[in-house]
Amino acid sequence: MKNVITFLMCSLCIITGIAQSDLSGNTTIIPQRTPELEALYQQSKALEQNGTAAEINANRIAIKNAWQEIDPNVAALYKPITTNRLPETVENLPINGVYTPIEILERDGEGIIPEWGTDQLLRNDYVDAVAMDKDRVSGDIYVGIYENIIDFGGTFDSIFVYRSQDGGLSFDEWKKVGVTAPMRKMQLITYDDSYLIAYLVTDSKNFQAWRWDTNTGTFDAQVIASDVIDFGVDTNYPGVGTQRSFATYQKSDHTTYSARSTSGSFGFDWVDENSLAIVGEQIEFAYGYLGACYTTFIGFNSRSLRANVNSNYNDPASWASNETITDGSLIESLNPTICAVRRDLASDEVLIITSSRAAGSSDSYTGQAYRRESGAAYTPINYIGAGTDANIAHIDSWMQKLNNSEIIETSYVRDDIDNSSNDLNRSFQYDGTSFGPFEEVNDTGIDVFDGFASAVAETPDNNPCMAFAGTSGGGGFGFGLYFDAQNSIVGVEENSFEGFKFFPNPAQEILNLSANNTIENVSLFSLLGQKVMNTSVDQNNSSINIASLTPGVYLMKVMIDGKSATYKIIKQ
């Protein structure tokens, strides 16, 4: 018999307070920082970019010692996490092989707006959750799923990891690991062509890190904390060896905690577990840049949507006051996701997106977004509606690890309420200002499972990709793992002009153009088809300034002798 995970959409009350608490529940008032402490916190930001693991860890101890001189209660927040529990894993289960697409993703050499390809079936079996990430160094795409089975005759619940090393054109079933307790949540984090980590919570309430060396396949695991029922995790992206993970999580009494892994431990050896003196559920977490950390969750009986920000890498003494984004007595919010653009706290931009409807109503759920800009309060912006016959459910978001990047990939499931039509998944990109047109992803005939999110990320050529589950048992189970990617604008140069050149590519500020004949006009388009620049050239050699463009991939349409050709450029 299949064990299907049901995510209870209950609501939790919020205990608010500016003060933080230690693990005994005692209130810890954070005093004002001295000039010495301010200097140490500024040093931590510089060390993230240029320091070693030893220097980063020494800075943390220096902050602890400086607090000891001011207030020993604050200094006591800096401590390792100790747990006597063992990871619930059975290693090295057999794997099945290589998965190739039924049809290689077709490349669009004509249009400005790409289309999605044919769904690839990676797994023809039960799926209870999907997670995905792309390694920023190698470009490898990792898709993880878990399957929970009620069968205690020797069959273990399992985690499967599928890997693509060619931009999503083919996958191998890279790893399979048995789990000795039913799974409840999993997130994947890549560590710069060094490690892949599956952070997970099981039915026995162990918050764990399962880690594979992506070069050798070597496996290791640790328990981070016990008595945990939900979590959100993200990572920074400095040099190799100093990357670390940050998380907020909730324990069985619904109290919210924060912690972080130790620099140089590659996602292991967590420290500084700290109670935030609030309780809630459905927690998620995002990292921005230069230490900016963000969390969101749903309140207990209040049903309010809440958020908080940490200015210094989940430092236990750096949490701000909790912010109420929506009043639960007026608006019902479910399953929030959070994502931050790669900018520092002073110029930050953060999106929280939820399923939303009027409190106490039986209306369908819409998708509602809230945006924080430059440290201001979150304000609502439009996401997507669904009419009266469908719900917007299980939204996911993903942000590439690139300084100043603003493009956020999101996905959502359109759940047909009366099941008269298949449920759909859709891609919806945020370009730093607004959301572009949504794009349907799943092939006709595939009924997307509506019990959890369709995982979204990007291919190495910066196009959105998605991993999702189909259905079985009349829609009651997730069955069949699929992968799809938006067609890359690769090969657009096939319509190129003889003798036409542009350089450098990628470019930061100036793009140089050279042609045998007069270049009449140059237009640049985003991958959503929006024209972002138009320039009359009227000469054979010219340069255009692209410094004002957001980093990312653009299409350049060039007019020569009344004819056009389209090229792909990358703005760094």
Side-chain angles (χ1 to χ4, degrees), residues 497-513:
F497 295 113
E498 183 177 355
F500 176 73
K501 299 177 182 179
F502 59 97
F503 58 93
N505 190 27
Q508 291 184 338
E509 296 184 356
I510 301 299
L511 184 67
N512 301 301
L513 310 175

Side-chain angles (χ1 to χ4, degrees), residues 77 189 221 292 295 447 507:
L77 299 176
I189 297 289
T295 191
D447 188 11

